[in-house]
Amino acid sequence: MAAGIWGNDMLTIPHPVWNQIIRHAEQGYPNETCGLLVGSKNEKTASHYYPCRNIYDEMHARHPETYPRTARTAYLMDPAQQQKIFDGATAQELEIKGIMHSHTDHEAYFSEEDSLVAAPWGEPMIPGVSYIVVSVSKGKFQEMKEYCWDESKKLFVQN
């Protein structure tokens, strides 16, 4: 996959945004990182990347039964940051184009847990967004893949 240029119906991620995502994922290692991609309405381009704080460890410390993993293998976006990004996008007449998270020392696959978070009731929580998974191994970027909801299959598939 060429950096920044994904074909057909894939999300276009310009090189500067692509580089921001990779830098964020590498700097967050060994924990998973997460963030939101934003762009103009009616376009399949992510013009901005907004890193979010992964609060999974905080939630694990408070509620270990509900959040049994750690930020090394799971992510949970800071809801206040997430809302601020949503509000800012709306104010600028932009929209969320993608949700990024990293996998540390694993491939860039869309896990069962990822599917449960993205579509807890069997349908995507945010219809039409791409889910970008970045693989980081030993602190270095390995690969980036896009996953989208397939309405006919009722699951996320690699784009």
Coordinates of all heavy atoms in Angstrom, one line a residue, residues 60-131:
H60 N -9.0 0.6 33.8 CA -8.6 -0.7 34.4 C -8.4 -0.6 35.9 O -8.8 -1.4 36.7 CB -7.4 -1.3 33.7 CG -6.9 -2.5 34.3 ND1 -7.5 -3.7 34.1 CD2 -5.8 -2.7 35.0 CE1 -6.8 -4.6 34.8 NE2 -5.7 -4.0 35.4
A61 N -7.7 0.5 36.3 CA -7.4 0.7 37.7 C -8.7 0.9 38.5 O -8.8 0.5 39.6 CB -6.5 1.9 37.8
R62 N -9.7 1.6 37.9 CA -10.9 1.9 38.6 C -11.9 0.7 38.6 O -12.6 0.5 39.6 CB -11.6 3.1 38.0 CG -11.0 4.4 38.3 CD -11.9 5.5 37.8 NE -11.0 6.6 37.3 CZ -11.4 7.5 36.5 NH1 -12.6 7.5 36.0 NH2 -10.6 8.5 36.1
H63 N -12.0 0.0 37.5 CA -12.9 -1.0 37.3 C -12.3 -2.2 36.6 O -12.6 -2.5 35.4 CB -14.1 -0.5 36.4 CG -14.7 0.7 36.9 ND1 -15.5 0.8 38.0 CD2 -14.6 2.0 36.4 CE1 -15.9 2.1 38.2 NE2 -15.4 2.8 37.3
P64 N -11.4 -3.0 37.2 CA -10.7 -4.1 36.6 C -11.6 -5.2 36.0 O -11.2 -5.9 35.1 CB -9.8 -4.6 37.7 CG -10.3 -4.1 39.0 CD -11.1 -2.8 38.6
E65 N -12.8 -5.4 36.6 CA -13.7 -6.4 36.1 C -14.3 -6.0 34.8 O -14.4 -6.9 33.9 CB -14.9 -6.7 37.1 CG -14.6 -6.7 38.6 CD -14.4 -5.3 39.2 OE1 -15.0 -4.3 38.8 OE2 -13.5 -5.2 40.0
T66 N -14.6 -4.8 34.6 CA -15.2 -4.3 33.3 C -14.1 -4.0 32.3 O -14.3 -4.2 31.1 CB -15.9 -2.9 33.6 OG1 -16.9 -3.2 34.6 CG2 -16.7 -2.5 32.4
Y67 N -12.9 -3.6 32.7 CA -11.8 -3.3 31.8 C -10.6 -4.2 32.2 O -9.7 -3.8 32.9 CB -11.4 -1.8 31.9 CG -12.5 -0.9 31.5 CD1 -13.4 -0.4 32.5 CD2 -12.7 -0.6 30.2 CE1 -14.5 0.4 32.1 CE2 -13.8 0.2 29.8 CZ -14.6 0.7 30.8 OH -15.7 1.6 30.4
P68 N -10.7 -5.5 31.8 CA -9.7 -6.5 32.4 C -8.3 -6.4 31.7 O -7.4 -7.0 32.2 CB -10.3 -7.8 32.0 CG -11.2 -7.5 30.8 CD -11.7 -6.1 31.0
R69 N -8.2 -5.7 30.6 CA -6.9 -5.6 29.9 C -6.1 -4.4 30.3 O -6.5 -3.7 31.3 CB -7.2 -5.7 28.4 CG -7.8 -7.0 28.0 CD -8.5 -6.9 26.7 NE -7.6 -6.7 25.6 CZ -8.1 -6.6 24.3 NH1 -9.3 -6.7 24.0 NH2 -7.2 -6.3 23.4
T70 N -5.1 -4.1 29.6 CA -4.3 -2.8 29.9 C -4.1 -2.1 28.5 O -4.5 -2.7 27.5 CB -2.9 -3.1 30.5 OG1 -2.1 -3.8 29.5 CG2 -3.0 -4.0 31.7
A71 N -3.6 -0.9 28.6 CA -3.4 -0.1 27.4 C -2.4 -0.8 26.4 O -2.3 -0.4 25.3 CB -2.9 1.3 27.7
R72 N -1.7 -1.8 26.9 CA -0.7 -2.5 26.0 C -1.5 -3.3 25.0 O -1.0 -3.5 23.9 CB 0.1 -3.4 26.9 CG 1.1 -4.3 26.1 CD 2.5 -3.8 26.2 NE 3.5 -4.7 25.7 CZ 3.8 -4.9 24.4 NH1 3.2 -4.2 23.5 NH2 4.7 -5.7 24.0
T73 N -2.7 -3.7 25.3 CA -3.5 -4.6 24.4 C -4.9 -4.0 24.1 O -5.7 -4.7 23.5 CB -3.6 -6.0 24.9 OG1 -4.3 -6.0 26.2 CG2 -2.2 -6.7 25.0
A74 N -5.2 -2.8 24.6 CA -6.6 -2.3 24.4 C -6.5 -0.8 24.4 O -5.5 -0.2 24.9 CB -7.5 -2.8 25.5
Y75 N -7.5 -0.2 23.8 CA -7.6 1.3 23.9 C -9.0 1.8 24.2 O -10.0 1.1 23.9 CB -7.1 1.9 22.5 CG -8.2 1.9 21.4 CD1 -9.0 3.0 21.2 CD2 -8.4 0.7 20.7 CE1 -10.0 2.9 20.2 CE2 -9.3 0.7 19.7 CZ -10.1 1.8 19.4 OH -11.1 1.7 18.4
L76 N -9.1 2.9 24.8 CA -10.3 3.6 25.1 C -10.0 5.1 25.0 O -9.2 5.6 25.7 CB -10.8 3.2 26.4 CG -12.2 3.8 26.8 CD1 -13.3 3.3 25.9 CD2 -12.5 3.5 28.3
M77 N -10.7 5.8 24.0 CA -10.4 7.2 23.8 C -11.0 8.0 24.9 O -12.1 7.7 25.4 CB -11.1 7.7 22.5 CG -10.3 7.3 21.2 SD -11.1 8.0 19.8 CE -10.4 7.0 18.5
D78 N -10.2 9.0 25.3 CA -10.7 10.0 26.3 C -12.0 10.6 25.7 O -11.9 11.3 24.7 CB -9.6 11.0 26.5 CG -10.0 12.1 27.5 OD1 -11.2 12.4 27.6 OD2 -9.1 12.6 28.2
P79 N -13.1 10.4 26.4 CA -14.4 10.9 25.9 C -14.4 12.4 25.8 O -15.1 13.0 24.9 CB -15.5 10.4 26.8 CG -14.7 9.8 28.0 CD -13.3 9.6 27.6
A80 N -13.8 13.1 26.7 CA -13.8 14.6 26.6 C -13.0 15.1 25.4 O -13.5 16.0 24.7 CB -13.2 15.2 27.9
Q81 N -11.9 14.5 25.1 CA -11.1 14.8 23.9 C -11.9 14.5 22.7 O -12.0 15.3 21.7 CB -9.8 14.0 23.9 CG -8.6 14.7 24.4 CD -7.4 13.9 24.1 OE1 -7.4 12.7 24.3 NE2 -6.3 14.6 23.7
Q82 N -12.5 13.3 22.7 CA -13.3 12.8 21.5 C -14.4 13.8 21.3 O -14.6 14.2 20.1 CB -13.8 11.5 21.9 CG -14.4 10.7 20.7 CD -14.7 9.3 21.1 OE1 -14.7 8.9 22.2 NE2 -15.2 8.5 20.1
Q83 N -15.1 14.3 22.3 CA -16.2 15.2 22.1 C -15.7 16.6 21.5 O -16.4 17.2 20.7 CB -17.0 15.4 23.4 CG -18.3 16.2 23.2 CD -19.3 15.5 22.3 OE1 -19.6 14.4 22.5 NE2 -19.7 16.2 21.3
K84 N -14.6 17.0 22.1 CA -14.0 18.3 21.6 C -13.7 18.2 20.1 O -13.9 19.1 19.3 CB -12.8 18.6 22.4 CG -12.2 19.9 22.1 CD -11.0 20.2 23.0 CE -10.4 21.6 22.7 NZ -9.3 21.9 23.6
I85 N -13.2 17.0 19.7 CA -12.8 16.9 18.2 C -14.1 16.8 17.4 O -14.2 17.5 16.3 CB -12.0 15.6 18.0 CG1 -10.6 15.8 18.7 CG2 -11.8 15.3 16.5 CD1 -9.9 14.5 18.9
F86 N -15.1 16.1 17.9 CA -16.4 16.1 17.2 C -17.0 17.5 17.0 O -17.5 17.9 16.0 CB -17.4 15.2 17.9 CG -17.3 13.7 17.6 CD1 -16.7 12.8 18.5 CD2 -17.9 13.2 16.4 CE1 -16.6 11.5 18.2 CE2 -17.8 11.8 16.1 CZ -17.1 11.0 17.0
D87 N -17.0 18.2 18.2 CA -17.6 19.6 18.1 C -16.8 20.5 17.2 O -17.4 21.3 16.5 CB -17.6 20.2 19.6 CG -18.6 19.5 20.5 OD1 -19.5 18.7 20.0 OD2 -18.5 19.6 21.7
G88 N -15.5 20.4 17.3 CA -14.6 21.2 16.4 C -14.8 20.9 14.9 O -14.9 21.8 14.1
A89 N -15.0 19.6 14.6 CA -15.2 19.2 13.2 C -16.6 19.8 12.8 O -16.7 20.4 11.7 CB -15.2 17.7 13.1
T90 N -17.6 19.6 13.6 CA -18.9 20.2 13.2 C -18.9 21.7 13.0 O -19.5 22.2 12.0 CB -19.9 19.8 14.3 OG1 -20.0 18.4 14.5 CG2 -21.3 20.3 14.0
A91 N -18.2 22.4 13.9 CA -18.1 23.8 13.8 C -17.4 24.3 12.5 O -17.7 25.3 11.9 CB -17.4 24.4 15.0
Q92 N -16.5 23.5 12.0 CA -15.8 23.8 10.7 C -16.4 23.1 9.5 O -15.8 23.1 8.4 CB -14.3 23.3 10.9 CG -13.6 24.0 11.9 CD -12.1 23.5 12.0 OE1 -11.4 23.3 11.0 NE2 -11.7 23.1 13.2
E93 N -17.6 22.6 9.7 CA -18.3 21.8 8.7 C -17.5 20.7 8.1 O -17.5 20.4 6.9 CB -18.8 22.8 7.6 CG -19.8 23.8 8.1 CD -20.4 24.7 7.0 OE1 -20.2 24.4 5.8 OE2 -21.0 25.7 7.4
L94 N -16.8 20.0 9.0 CA -16.1 18.8 8.7 C -16.8 17.6 9.3 O -17.7 17.8 10.1 CB -14.6 18.9 9.2 CG -13.8 20.1 8.6 CD1 -12.5 20.2 9.3 CD2 -13.6 20.0 7.1
E95 N -16.3 16.4 9.1 CA -16.8 15.2 9.7 C -15.7 14.2 10.0 O -14.6 14.3 9.4 CB -17.9 14.6 8.9 CG -17.5 14.1 7.5 CD -18.6 13.6 6.6 OE1 -19.8 13.8 7.0 OE2 -18.3 13.1 5.6
I96 N -16.1 13.3 10.9 CA -15.1 12.2 11.2 C -15.1 11.2 10.0 O -16.1 10.8 9.5 CB -15.6 11.4 12.5 CG1 -15.8 12.4 13.7 CG2 -14.6 10.3 12.8 CD1 -14.5 13.2 14.0
K97 N -13.9 11.0 9.5 CA -13.6 10.1 8.4 C -13.1 8.7 8.8 O -13.3 7.7 8.1 CB -12.6 10.7 7.4 CG -13.1 12.0 6.8 CD -14.3 11.7 5.9 CE -14.8 12.9 5.2 NZ -16.0 12.6 4.3
G98 N -12.4 8.7 10.0 CA -11.8 7.5 10.4 C -11.4 7.5 11.9 O -11.3 8.5 12.5
I99 N -11.3 6.3 12.4 CA -10.9 6.0 13.8 C -9.6 5.2 13.7 O -9.7 4.1 13.1 CB -12.0 5.3 14.6 CG1 -13.2 6.3 14.7 CG2 -11.5 5.0 16.0 CD1 -14.5 5.6 15.2
M100 N -8.6 5.7 14.3 CA -7.3 4.9 14.2 C -7.0 4.4 15.6 O -7.2 5.0 16.6 CB -6.2 5.9 13.8 CG -4.8 5.2 13.6 SD -3.9 4.6 15.1 CE -3.4 6.1 15.9
H101 N -6.4 3.2 15.6 CA -5.8 2.6 16.8 C -4.6 1.7 16.4 O -4.6 1.3 15.2 CB -6.8 1.9 17.8 CG -7.2 0.6 17.3 ND1 -8.1 0.3 16.4 CD2 -6.7 -0.6 17.8 CE1 -8.3 -1.0 16.2 NE2 -7.4 -1.6 17.1
S102 N -3.7 1.6 17.3 CA -2.5 0.8 16.9 C -2.6 -0.6 17.7 O -3.3 -0.7 18.7 CB -1.2 1.5 17.3 OG -1.2 1.7 18.7
H103 N -1.9 -1.6 17.1 CA -1.7 -2.8 17.7 C -0.2 -2.9 17.9 O 0.6 -2.7 17.0 CB -2.1 -4.0 16.8 CG -3.6 -4.2 16.8 ND1 -4.2 -5.2 16.0 CD2 -4.6 -3.6 17.4 CE1 -5.5 -5.2 16.2 NE2 -5.8 -4.2 17.0
T104 N 0.2 -3.3 19.1 CA 1.6 -3.3 19.5 C 2.1 -4.8 19.4 O 1.4 -5.7 20.0 CB 1.9 -2.7 20.8 OG1 1.1 -3.4 21.8 CG2 1.5 -1.3 20.9
D105 N 3.1 -5.0 18.7 CA 3.8 -6.3 18.5 C 2.8 -7.3 17.9 O 2.9 -8.5 18.2 CB 4.4 -6.8 19.8 CG 5.5 -5.8 20.3 OD1 6.3 -5.3 19.4 OD2 5.6 -5.5 21.5
H106 N 1.9 -6.9 17.1 CA 0.9 -7.7 16.4 C 0.6 -7.1 15.0 O 0.9 -5.9 14.8 CB -0.4 -7.9 17.2 CG -0.3 -8.7 18.4 ND1 -0.2 -10.1 18.4 CD2 -0.2 -8.4 19.7 CE1 -0.1 -10.5 19.6 NE2 -0.1 -9.5 20.4
E107 N 0.0 -7.9 14.2 CA -0.4 -7.4 12.8 C -1.5 -6.3 12.9 O -2.1 -6.2 14.0 CB -0.8 -8.5 12.0 CG 0.3 -9.5 11.7 CD -0.2 -10.7 10.9 OE1 -1.3 -10.7 10.3 OE2 0.6 -11.7 10.8
A108 N -1.7 -5.7 11.8 CA -2.8 -4.7 11.8 C -4.1 -5.3 11.3 O -4.6 -5.2 10.2 CB -2.4 -3.6 10.8
Y109 N -4.6 -6.1 12.2 CA -5.9 -6.8 11.9 C -7.0 -6.2 12.7 O -6.8 -5.5 13.7 CB -5.8 -8.3 12.3 CG -5.6 -8.6 13.7 CD1 -6.6 -9.0 14.5 CD2 -4.3 -8.5 14.3 CE1 -6.5 -9.3 15.9 CE2 -4.1 -8.8 15.7 CZ -5.2 -9.1 16.5 OH -5.1 -9.4 17.8
F110 N -8.3 -6.5 12.3 CA -9.4 -6.0 13.0 C -9.9 -7.1 13.9 O -10.5 -8.1 13.4 CB -10.5 -5.5 12.0 CG -11.4 -4.5 12.6 CD1 -10.9 -3.2 12.8 CD2 -12.7 -4.7 12.9 CE1 -11.8 -2.2 13.4 CE2 -13.6 -3.8 13.4 CZ -13.1 -2.5 13.6
S111 N -9.7 -7.0 15.2 CA -9.9 -8.1 16.1 C -11.4 -8.2 16.5 O -12.2 -7.3 16.2 CB -9.1 -7.9 17.4 OG -9.7 -6.8 18.1
E112 N -11.8 -9.3 17.1 CA -13.2 -9.4 17.6 C -13.5 -8.3 18.6 O -14.6 -7.8 18.6 CB -13.3 -10.8 18.3 CG -14.7 -11.1 18.7 CD -14.9 -12.5 19.2 OE1 -14.1 -13.4 18.8 OE2 -15.7 -12.7 20.1
E113 N -12.6 -8.0 19.4 CA -12.8 -6.9 20.4 C -13.0 -5.5 19.6 O -13.9 -4.7 20.0 CB -11.6 -6.7 21.3 CG -11.7 -5.6 22.3 CD -12.6 -5.9 23.5 OE1 -13.1 -7.0 23.7 OE2 -13.0 -4.9 24.2
D114 N -12.2 -5.3 18.6 CA -12.4 -4.1 17.8 C -13.8 -4.0 17.2 O -14.4 -3.0 17.2 CB -11.4 -4.0 16.6 CG -9.9 -3.9 17.1 OD1 -9.7 -3.4 18.2 OD2 -9.0 -4.3 16.3
S115 N -14.3 -5.2 16.7 CA -15.6 -5.2 16.1 C -16.7 -5.0 17.2 O -17.7 -4.2 16.9 CB -15.9 -6.6 15.5 OG -15.1 -6.8 14.4
L116 N -16.5 -5.5 18.4 CA -17.5 -5.3 19.5 C -17.5 -3.8 19.9 O -18.6 -3.3 20.2 CB -17.1 -6.1 20.7 CG -17.4 -7.6 20.5 CD1 -16.8 -8.4 21.7 CD2 -18.9 -7.9 20.4
V117 N -16.4 -3.2 19.9 CA -16.4 -1.7 20.3 C -17.0 -0.9 19.1 O -17.7 0.0 19.4 CB -14.9 -1.3 20.6 CG1 -14.8 0.2 20.7 CG2 -14.4 -2.0 21.8
A118 N -16.7 -1.2 17.9 CA -17.1 -0.4 16.8 C -18.6 -0.6 16.4 O -19.3 0.3 15.9 CB -16.3 -0.7 15.5
A119 N -19.1 -1.8 16.7 CA -20.5 -2.2 16.4 C -21.1 -3.0 17.5 O -21.4 -4.2 17.4 CB -20.5 -3.0 15.1
P120 N -21.3 -2.4 18.7 CA -21.8 -3.1 19.9 C -23.2 -3.7 19.7 O -23.5 -4.7 20.4 CB -21.7 -2.1 21.0 CG -21.7 -0.8 20.3 CD -21.1 -1.0 19.0
W121 N -24.0 -3.2 18.9 CA -25.3 -3.7 18.7 C -25.5 -4.3 17.3 O -26.6 -4.4 16.8 CB -26.4 -2.5 18.9 CG -26.2 -2.0 20.3 CD1 -26.7 -2.6 21.5 CD2 -25.6 -0.8 20.7 NE1 -26.3 -1.8 22.5 CE2 -25.7 -0.7 22.1 CE3 -25.0 0.2 20.0 CZ2 -25.1 0.4 22.8 CZ3 -24.4 1.3 20.7 CH2 -24.5 1.4 22.1
G122 N -24.4 -4.7 16.7 CA -24.5 -5.3 15.4 C -24.5 -4.4 14.2 O -24.6 -4.8 13.1
E123 N -24.4 -3.1 14.5 CA -24.3 -2.0 13.4 C -23.3 -1.0 13.9 O -23.1 -0.8 15.1 CB -25.7 -1.3 13.3 CG -26.8 -2.1 12.7 CD -26.7 -2.5 11.2 OE1 -26.0 -1.7 10.5 OE2 -27.2 -3.5 10.8
P124 N -22.5 -0.4 13.0 CA -21.5 0.5 13.4 C -22.1 1.7 14.2 O -23.1 2.2 13.9 CB -20.9 1.1 12.1 CG -21.4 0.1 11.0 CD -22.6 -0.6 11.5
M125 N -21.3 2.1 15.2 CA -21.8 3.2 16.0 C -21.7 4.5 15.2 O -22.5 5.4 15.4 CB -20.9 3.4 17.3 CG -21.2 2.3 18.3 SD -20.3 2.5 19.9 CE -20.9 4.1 20.4
I126 N -20.7 4.6 14.3 CA -20.6 5.8 13.5 C -20.6 5.3 12.0 O -19.5 4.9 11.5 CB -19.3 6.6 13.8 CG1 -19.2 6.9 15.3 CG2 -19.2 7.9 12.9 CD1 -17.8 7.5 15.6
P127 N -21.7 5.3 11.4 CA -21.8 4.7 10.0 C -20.9 5.5 9.0 O -20.7 6.7 9.1 CB -23.3 4.9 9.6 CG -24.0 5.1 10.9 CD -23.0 5.7 11.9
G128 N -20.3 4.7 8.2 CA -19.5 5.3 7.1 C -18.0 5.6 7.4 O -17.3 6.0 6.5
V129 N -17.6 5.5 8.6 CA -16.2 5.8 8.9 C -15.3 4.6 8.7 O -15.7 3.4 8.7 CB -16.0 6.3 10.4 CG1 -16.8 7.5 10.7 CG2 -16.2 5.2 11.4
S130 N -14.1 4.9 8.4 CA -13.1 3.8 8.2 C -12.4 3.6 9.5 O -12.2 4.5 10.4 CB -12.0 4.3 7.2 OG -12.5 4.4 5.9
Y131 N -12.0 2.4 9.8 CA -11.2 2.0 11.0 C -9.8 1.7 10.5 O -9.6 0.8 9.7 CB -11.9 0.8 11.7 CG -13.1 1.3 12.4 CD1 -14.3 1.4 11.7 CD2 -13.1 1.6 13.7 CE1 -15.5 1.8 12.3 CE2 -14.3 2.1 14.4 CZ -15.4 2.2 13.7 OH -16.6 2.6 14.3

